Amino acid sequence: MARSANWRAQVLGLAQVWGPRGQRLRLERRAAALLAYLGLEGAAPKFPLASLLWPDSPAATVRNNMRQLLRRLRLASGGEEWIEADAERLALGASLALDAARLKAAALARQHAQVLEALSPEGGGLLLAGFDFDDCPELARWLDGARAAVEGWVRKAREAEIERHTAQGDWTAALALAQAWVQQEPESEQAGSHLIRLHYLKGDRSAALAAFERLRAVLSRELGVTPMPDTLALVRQIEKGTQLPHAPAEPRAALPLSVLRPPVLVGREAAWRQLEEGWHAGQMLFLSGEPGSGKSRLAEEFASIQGPWGRIEGRAGDQDIPFASEARAFRNQMARWPEVKLPEWVRDELSRILPELGGPRPLPPLHSESSMLRFYDAQVEALLLLHQHERVSIADDVQYWDKASAKAFTYAISRLADAGGRGASGPRFIDCYRRGELPPYAQTYIHQLEDEGLARIIELGPLQPEEVRLLVASLELPGAERHAEALSRYTGGNPLYIVETLKHLLETGALDRDWPSRLPPPGRVGPLIRRRLEHLSPLALQSAQLAALAGAHFKAALVPEALQVSASPVHTALAELETAQVLMGERFSHDLVREAVLASLPPAAARALHGRLATVFENGGAPPLVLAHHWLEAGAVERALPHLLAAARSEEQVLPLEQAADHYARAAILMEQAGRTEEALQARAAEARCRPREGASRG
C-alpha cells in the first residue's frame, strides 16, 4: 500500500514546508531548488544534480555538500525521508507532497481545475520566487525553462477553465478566474480580453470599458505596444452595445464516417500476397505508389494481422534538419512506452538528437570511427528496446525522411540482420513512400537493402473499374453506385481521388443526380480539395495555412500567438478543420490536402506567415535551424544567418561533421550573395574543416 504524505512543500512562490502538526519551515535556496528539480524532472543521478548546485567546486566537495544538504533536510523533517537517496540517484520521497509535482501531473493529465488548485493563495505561482542562481549558470538556465513551463501550464488551465465556465453560463466563476489572472499577469492581453468580455456579458458595460483602458495603459507602459486587432474589435462591439455571442457557432455537419475511412480494402490482393511472401522471408517491406493510392491503409491492415503495431512518420520539412525524422520517431515511441528504460550510455548518445535526455556533462565530438559507431549502435539499441512490445512498425511518408535519419536507419536494419536470431525476434518494418519522390540518398539506401536481400519493394497501381465499383458499394452512400463507372474514368482508379470526388458530390448535393458537367480536369484531386477549402471560414483557412508552413513543428497552441487572436475562436477554427477533414489533430489528413493548402497561399502572405512563425518559435526557444528556415522563407536573410551559423556550430560539437558542413556551406552562399566576403570565407573554411577527407572513415 502506498504511504500517504505527512509533509507538504511549496516551491511555487515562497519556498516553505508544512508538517503534520502545523509546523512551518522556510526552505533555503539550494534545498528548495533540489526539491523543485526532483518534483518537475523526476528521479535524477545524484552527482550531476549536485554539480548543478555547486558548479565550481571539486568533485569531493560537491559530494560532501550534497550529503550535508540531505542530512539537514532529514533533521528538519524529524527523520522523514523527504528525498529518497541511494549511491547513484535521488528522488522525491513518499512522505512529501510537492506543489510543483502535483501541478505538473495535473497539467499532463489535462486536469485544468487541479492545476489551479495546486497554486496556493499565498504561493503566487512563480517557481522558486525570490531566489536567483547567478552563481549556478546551468541551474539558472534550467530554472528559466522550468518557470516558462509552469507559466504555460497555468495559463492553459486558466484559459480552459474560463471557457468551461463561460460555456456553462457561469460568468461569475469565469470572471473571478479572469480577475485573478489579470492580477497575476496584468500585461497579458489574453487575460485582459477575457476580463473585458466577461464584464460585458454580466451586463457591466462600464466595467468592461474600464478594464480595456487599464489593459491599454499597461501594454503601452510595460511593452510599448497597442492592443491587438481582435481586442480592438471586441471593444468596438461593446461601445456600440452589440450583442456578443455566448457560444461558438456550431461547425457544419461532418461527412459520413465511411468516406473518412472506407470500410473495405479492395483491389490489393496481389500486393497482399507480396507482403506475405516478404514477411515470411524476414524482409523489410516497402510500399510504393502514387499519392492517394492507399499505401498507409494497406500497411495498417496487414500489420494488424501480424500482431501489435505502431506508426511513425516523416513530415514535410524534415529533410532540412538532420535527424529530425528519427528524433520524432524516438519521441513517439518513448511517449507510447514510458515504462521502457534506456541504458545510461544509450540516453547519453541519443541526447545528441534528443537534448531532453542529456545530463550536465558535455558530449565528446564525433570525430573518430569508434565514437561514430557508438552513436549509431545506441540508436540500434534504442530501436530494439522501444519497439519490444510491437511486432510491426509502420513508417509513413518515408520520402520526407532526412538524409541523416535514413542513413542511421539503414545501418540499424543491417545490424539487426547481422544479429541473426536477435534481429529475427525484434521489430519488423513496413515503410511507405510516394513513387518517384524519393530523394537520391533514400533511393540509394533502399536499393542497397534490396540488393542485399534484406528488403522487398511492392508497387501499388490504380484500381480497376470493377474494383472501383466494389469500393463505392462499400461506402453505402445512396446514389453513389450509379457513378461508379464515371468515377473510375474520372479518377483513374486512385482511391483517394475517388473519395475526394465523392466528398465534392456530397457537399454540392450532386450525388443523387446525373454526373456533373463541370468538374476540374480528370485525374486531379487538388482542385477539388481547394474548392473544399474555399468553404472554410477565414480564420480556419489561415490556421491551416499556418500549419502547412510550420510543417513538422506545428502545434495548435502556437496559432493564437502567431495569428494574434484569442484562443476561443482558434478552437472553433481547428474544430472546423477537423470536421472538413483538413486536419486530424495536429497533422494533415493527407499530404495532398497540405499541398492544396499551400497552393492557396499567395507568396506575400506566405512570407508574412513565415515571419510570424519565426517570431513565435524564437520566443519559444526553437532549434536554430528551424528559426533559420522561417527567417529565410520570410525574406529576412540577416536574421536567419546567426541561427544558421549557430546550428552549424552546435552540430559540429555533437553530430557527424557532414551535418555541420552542409549548414556552413549554405551560410557561405548567403553571405556571398549579400557581399559579406570575409565572413563567407570563414564559413567556407569551417565547411572544409567538417567535410570528410578522401579516404577518411565516416561511420
Side-chain angles (χ1 to χ4, degrees):
M1 175 182 281
R3 181 182 175 188
S4 62
N6 297 322
W7 293 77
R8 180 168 58 89
Q10 173 182 293
V11 291
L12 300 171
L14 181 66
Q16 50 194 320
V17 182
W18 291 268
R21 295 185 300 277
Q23 310 100 304
R24 182 173 177 173
L25 308 172
R26 290 284 299 273
L27 287 169
E28 58 95 5
R29 187 174 66 124
R30 285 190 171 89
L34 177 62
L35 293 178
Y37 189 96
L38 293 175
L40 291 172
E41 303 295 337
K46 183 186 290 185
F47 183 74
L49 181 49
S51 298
L52 289 179
L53 297 171
W54 294 280
D56 298 322
S57 301
T61 303
V62 169
R63 291 188 175 92
N64 182 62
N65 288 347
M66 179 58 83
R67 282 194 296 270
Q68 293 302 319
L69 175 56
L70 294 175
R71 178 176 176 274
R72 290 197 299 275
L73 289 176
R74 276 195 299 272
L75 289 174
S77 68
E80 293 277 5
E81 293 290 342
W82 289 351
I83 295 178
E84 296 175 353
D86 58 26
E88 299 295 332
R89 300 181 75 78
L90 300 174
L92 279 184
S95 64
L96 184 71
L98 185 74
D99 59 350
R102 178 184 169 203
L103 184 145
K104 179 180 180 180
L108 296 181
R110 298 184 180 182
Q111 297 171 337
H112 303 301
Q114 287 83 342
V115 169
L116 301 182
E117 289 171 6
L119 300 172
S120 64
E122 59 184 7
L126 181 64
L127 182 64
L128 299 178
F131 292 139
D132 67 66
F133 294 88
D134 293 341
D135 55 335
C136 307
E138 288 294 329
L139 181 60
R141 277 192 285 274
W142 171 83
L143 180 58
D144 287 342
R147 282 174 171 168
V150 169
E151 289 168 3
W153 292 329
V154 172
R155 193 175 296 117
K156 183 176 181 180
R158 283 173 167 152
E159 174 83 9
E161 284 298 283
I162 287 173
E163 290 190 358
R164 181 174 69 85
H165 288 304
T166 301
Q168 295 172 350
D170 189 354
W171 297 328
T172 300
L175 182 63
L177 286 171
Q179 288 171 326
W181 189 355
V182 168
Q183 186 175 5
Q184 189 72 30
E185 296 183 66
E187 72 286 355
S188 169
E189 190 163 355
Q190 191 178 14
S193 294
H194 278 301
L195 187 61
I196 295 165
R197 181 185 183 87
L198 287 163
H199 272 309
Y200 186 68
L201 287 175
K202 286 201 70 182
D204 196 339
R205 181 171 176 272
S206 61
L209 295 176
F212 169 69
E213 290 302 329
R214 288 194 298 272
L215 174 63
R216 180 161 59 180
V218 169
L219 292 175
S220 176
R221 182 178 65 252
E222 301 295 334
L223 304 178
V225 298
T226 57
M228 292 188 296
D230 196 48
T231 306
L232 295 174
L234 170 65
V235 172
R236 282 195 295 271
Q237 281 185 284
I238 293 173
E239 287 174 336
K240 294 175 183 177
T242 306
Q243 178 69 32
L244 299 183
H246 293 173
E250 286 294 318
R252 60 181 176 173
L255 291 164
L257 185 60
S258 63
V259 177
L260 178 61
R261 185 177 177 85
V264 177
L265 185 70
V266 299
R268 296 306 181 209
E269 293 80 8
W272 189 280
R273 285 194 296 272
Q274 291 189 65
L275 286 169
E276 288 184 326
E277 291 170 6
W279 180 269
H280 293 307
Q283 294 173 315
M284 182 176 177
L285 303 171
F286 287 96
L287 283 173
S288 171
E290 297 296 328
S293 58
K295 302 178 292 294
S296 303
R297 174 69 183 274
L298 176 60
E300 291 172 4
E301 295 279 352
F302 184 79
S304 66
I305 299 297
Q306 312 307 326
W309 62 277
R311 183 178 182 276
I312 58 178
E313 62 183 14
R315 292 191 190 175
D318 280 3
Q319 292 181 14
D320 295 329
I321 303 175
F323 294 104
S325 304
E326 267 212 319
R328 182 184 309 106
F330 281 133
R331 287 191 177 104
N332 177 78
Q333 290 302 104
M334 288 189 290
R336 185 170 165 81
W337 305 107
E339 69 275 15
V340 173
K341 302 301 180 187
L342 300 177
E344 200 66 33
W345 75 274
V346 173
R347 291 176 63 88
D348 285 345
E349 290 299 326
L350 282 188
S351 70
R352 297 178 187 275
I353 60 176
L354 301 172
E356 64 268 26
L357 298 184
R361 296 171 298 175
L363 291 165
L366 293 175
H367 292 177
S368 68
E369 182 176 7
S370 61
S371 63
M372 288 285 291
L373 287 174
R374 180 179 173 86
F375 173 53
Y376 284 119
D377 285 342
Q379 295 177 62
V380 177
E381 189 68 21
L383 185 148
L384 281 168
L385 291 171
L386 291 169
H387 288 83
Q388 62 184 295
H389 301 298
E390 296 173 351
R391 186 71 177 123
V392 191
S393 177
I394 297 171
D396 213 353
D397 289 325
V398 171
Q399 73 273 2
Y400 293 136
W401 273 51
D402 63 277
K403 184 177 182 180
S405 293
K407 179 179 180 179
F409 186 73
T410 304
Y411 173 86
I413 293 298
S414 299
R415 280 296 309 276
L416 293 178
D418 292 342
R422 184 184 187 192
S425 62
R428 302 286 296 276
F429 297 93
I430 304 175
D431 284 11
C432 306
Y433 63 88
R434 289 188 188 185
R435 181 184 299 131
E437 295 191 22
L438 282 177
Y441 57 80
Q443 290 186 47
T444 299
Y445 293 138
I446 290 174
H447 289 305
Q448 173 188 328
L449 292 171
E450 186 183 32
D451 292 343
E452 294 172 0
L454 301 178
R456 175 178 299 224
I457 300 174
I458 301 163
E459 298 283 352
L460 295 189
L463 299 181
Q464 298 303 307
E466 177 59 22
E467 294 166 343
V468 173
R469 189 190 65 76
L470 291 173
L471 172 60
V472 174
S474 74
L475 302 180
E476 298 182 352
L477 296 175
E481 288 189 65
R482 65 198 297 251
H483 297 307
E485 184 178 347
L487 276 169
S488 180
R489 290 195 305 270
Y490 178 71
T491 64
N494 182 292
L496 179 70
Y497 294 7
I498 294 168
V499 171
E500 286 297 327
T501 305
L502 286 170
K503 289 178 186 176
H504 174 75
L505 297 178
L506 274 168
E507 291 179 334
T508 57
L511 193 62
D512 55 356
R513 300 200 299 266
D514 291 338
W515 184 257
S517 58
R518 298 182 62 185
L519 278 176
R524 294 176 57 201
V525 73
L528 288 180
I529 297 175
R530 285 197 289 277
R531 287 190 182 187
R532 207 158 84 240
L533 298 178
E534 291 172 359
H535 295 290
L536 296 174
S537 67
L539 181 57
L541 179 59
Q542 200 170 26
S543 300
Q545 292 167 339
L546 193 77
L549 294 179
H553 299 275
F554 175 71
K555 299 290 181 187
L558 64 83
V559 178
E561 184 178 357
L563 299 184
Q564 297 185 344
V565 293
S566 59
S568 183
V570 167
H571 292 163
T572 303
L574 294 175
E576 182 183 349
L577 291 174
E578 290 230 18
T579 300
Q581 298 180 10
V582 175
L583 290 183
M584 296 173 61
E586 293 180 331
R587 59 187 292 272
F588 282 92
S589 58
H590 198 279
D591 290 337
L592 293 175
V593 177
R594 176 181 180 271
E595 290 169 10
V597 170
L598 287 175
S600 71
L601 257 174
R607 287 193 296 273
L609 285 179
H610 273 297
R612 291 190 177 190
L613 281 168
T615 301
V616 172
F617 283 143
E618 208 164 48
N619 294 338
L625 205 51
V626 174
L627 301 177
H629 165 74
H630 287 293
W631 282 126
L632 285 172
E633 293 297 323
V637 175
E638 293 297 325
R639 298 198 68 169
L641 276 172
H643 296 300
L644 190 56
L645 290 171
R649 287 191 288 267
S650 173
E651 290 173 7
E652 188 176 355
Q653 295 303 312
V654 297
L655 292 181
L657 290 177
E658 61 191 280
Q659 316 302 334
D662 291 341
H663 302 319
Y664 280 128
R666 191 178 182 192
I669 292 171
L670 293 171
M671 289 170 174
E672 289 162 355
Q673 293 172 348
R676 295 163 58 172
T677 307
E678 185 174 342
E679 293 169 280
L681 289 173
Q682 293 173 354
R684 289 292 185 193
E687 177 196 359
R689 181 177 69 243
C690 295
R691 290 285 182 207
R693 294 182 298 277
E694 197 68 33
S697 172
R698 294 184 61 180

